[in-house]
Amino acid sequence: MSLATAVRIAPPAYAQVDEERHAVLRRQIHRLARRRKALILAHNYQLPEVQDVAHFVGDSLGLALEAQQDPRQTIVFCGVHFMAESAKILNQEKRVLLPSLAAGCSLSDSITAESLEEWKCRYPDHVVVTYINSSAEVKALSDICCTSANAVSVIRSLPDKKILFTPDRNLGRWVARQFPEKEIVIYDGCCPTHDVLRGADVASGRRGHPEAVVVAHPECREDVLELADEVCSTTGMVAAVERHPEAKTFIIATEWGLVHQLKKRFPDKEFIVADGCIGCRLHCPYMKMNDLDSIARSLQEDVFEIQVDPDIASRARLTLERMMAVPRDR
Ligand code: 13P
């Protein structure tokens, strides 16, 4: 057989084997989840096959609420570490499993409890608002949390004028612009997946699709957000597409995993993932660490169980509960 023939034959054979394997794993996962009475949660950035096997797919706020409201006592959290940790903080009696323990978050790692302590000493009169992308220790030192879905409402809910916003500088600046009457000091952390995108990248995408609606995540830089028609959380982006029934094409300025949800809900629309660095869609390697194999293993072997020190958990829980009493931005 010539090399050319071999190359032509190989891809369909691979694809078939993968699909068969996925189907077997999907059945195994559903069987195990039923037997274990486990809830499978997946963030909008997870691999498409992980989203498809989950009972609920959503943004950070939606996942935290679902983890609290669902009666199942075991949660397999297909997201990154701070998300599973938040679920554990809110549900100390439940078993929370993260299929891949390596699934971290660079933004969450950009602030430590020590650096926040030091910062608080410099601004003793400020209320600390911390993005949910943070560790339990950092949350425990904060006054209230927020997510991208409720950051504006959280700041509005505070009577205080002086605020420290941690750790995402892009989300912080976007929120601060909406409250010129407040003094908001912003920490210098960022999500490298979103921060790589520039306004020029979005503008060049738009030149190719002048009619496209630009939908951006608030973790993007200011020059990107200035070009956006809609700025919202990942689940908020689904609602944003609904608000533009006349539009056929959307430029999506966030991690590419979300497009799986968008295509499922709006099969007739075209979604273009904003391109951060010449031909690369925005990609978070940590969000792609959970796969069907690790979910099956998680259910079989009870790994990796998330534990949080009870004292830290009870202080962090207050900051999350205060946040959850505030409605979504829209
Ligand atoms: P959402 O809460 O909007 O889903 O965002 C989570 C996140 O980590 C974005 O990088």
Side-chain angles (χ1 to χ4, degrees):
M1 195 195 308
S2 74
L3 182 60
T5 316
V7 169
R8 264 205 312 274
I9 290 168
Y14 270 130
Q16 209 182 345
V17 169
D18 247 1
E19 196 27 65
E20 274 173 20
R21 228 175 91 65
H22 280 183
V24 170
L25 280 165
R26 261 198 308 272
R27 282 196 295 276
Q28 186 187 3
I29 289 167
H30 283 143
R31 216 175 24 249
L32 285 164
R34 262 196 312 277
R35 193 182 317 144
R36 298 281 320 269
K37 294 192 175 54
L39 168 69
I40 304 175
L41 297 177
H43 185 264
N44 288 315
Y45 295 159
Q46 292 288 292
L47 288 168
E49 62 269 26
V50 171
Q51 296 186 31
D52 288 345
V53 89
H55 297 117
F56 179 86
V57 182
D59 62 8
S60 309
L61 181 60
L63 292 167
L65 288 164
E66 194 66 20
Q68 229 184 9
Q69 286 159 7
D70 194 282
R72 283 169 273 203
Q73 293 299 300
T74 298
I75 300 172
V76 178
F77 208 117
C78 304
V80 291
H81 189 273
F82 78 82
M83 295 180 176
E85 190 177 63
S86 300
K88 180 66 188 175
I89 291 167
L90 288 166
N91 304 279
Q92 286 173 62
E93 72 296 352
K94 295 186 186 175
R95 187 189 296 271
V96 178
L97 304 170
L98 180 64
S100 170
L101 201 51
C105 170
S106 314
L107 173 57
S108 170
D109 290 347
S110 70
I111 185 164
T112 61
E114 293 70 32
S115 51
L116 180 53
E117 297 252 36
E118 193 188 309
W119 214 44
K120 280 173 66 167
C121 290
R122 283 165 52 199
Y123 300 97
D125 302 329
H126 287 59
V127 166
V128 181
V129 178
T130 291
Y131 193 32
I132 195 166
N133 300 43
S134 53
S135 67
E137 290 78 6
V138 166
K139 288 185 178 81
L141 288 170
S142 306
D143 295 296
I144 186 166
C145 280
C146 72
T147 76
S148 57
N150 60 16
V152 172
S153 303
V154 164
I155 301 285
R156 189 178 295 118
S157 75
L158 299 171
D160 314 76
K161 273 206 159 13
K162 294 182 172 185
I163 290 165
L164 292 184
F165 190 94
T166 77
D168 190 285
R169 63 175 181 239
N170 294 328
L171 175 65
R173 283 177 195 154
W174 177 71
V175 175
R177 274 205 305 278
Q178 302 180 51
F179 296 95
E181 72 283 10
K182 299 211 185 216
E183 180 197 318
I184 304 182
V185 181
I186 300 163
Y187 196 82
D188 197 20
C190 70
C191 160
T193 299
H194 286 92
D195 202 62
V196 78
L197 188 65
R198 297 292 187 276
D201 303 320
V202 175
S204 91
R206 206 172 215 175
R207 273 195 294 280
H209 304 273
E211 75 300 345
V213 173
V214 177
V215 185
H217 195 277
E219 286 177 23
C220 290
R221 296 166 75 105
E222 204 166 348
D223 57 344
V224 171
L225 299 181
E226 269 166 14
L227 294 174
D229 300 293
E230 300 274 0
V231 177
C232 30
S233 77
T234 54
T235 293
M237 289 181 172
V238 178
V241 171
E242 247 157 30
R243 283 195 290 276
H244 295 269
E246 74 301 340
K248 294 211 163 21
T249 306
F250 293 81
I251 294 175
I252 303 297
T254 198
E255 213 273 351
W256 65 270
L258 177 72
V259 170
H260 183 61
Q261 284 301 310
L262 293 174
K263 279 188 177 154
K264 274 173 87 164
R265 310 249 186 135
F266 309 100
D268 301 335
K269 310 259 183 206
E270 182 188 18
F271 298 103
I272 299 160
V273 184
D275 184 345
C277 38
I278 317 170
C280 288
R281 51 197 182 167
L282 303 189
H283 173 81
C284 172
Y286 297 113
M287 280 286 183
K288 303 297 189 261
M289 286 182 174
N290 303 308
D291 57 14
L292 295 184
D293 289 287
S294 59
I295 297 169
R297 179 176 168 217
S298 181
L299 283 159
Q300 268 163 340
E301 299 176 20
D302 261 345
V303 288
F304 291 92
E305 188 169 356
I306 302 298
Q307 304 282 7
V308 186
D309 172 87
D311 175 50
I312 290 171
S314 67
R315 286 185 286 138
R317 188 187 169 108
L318 279 179
T319 66
L320 284 168
E321 283 178 346
R322 281 185 200 126
M323 169 190 87
M324 285 158 93
V326 176
R328 274 184 180 266
D329 288 344
R330 56 174 165 185

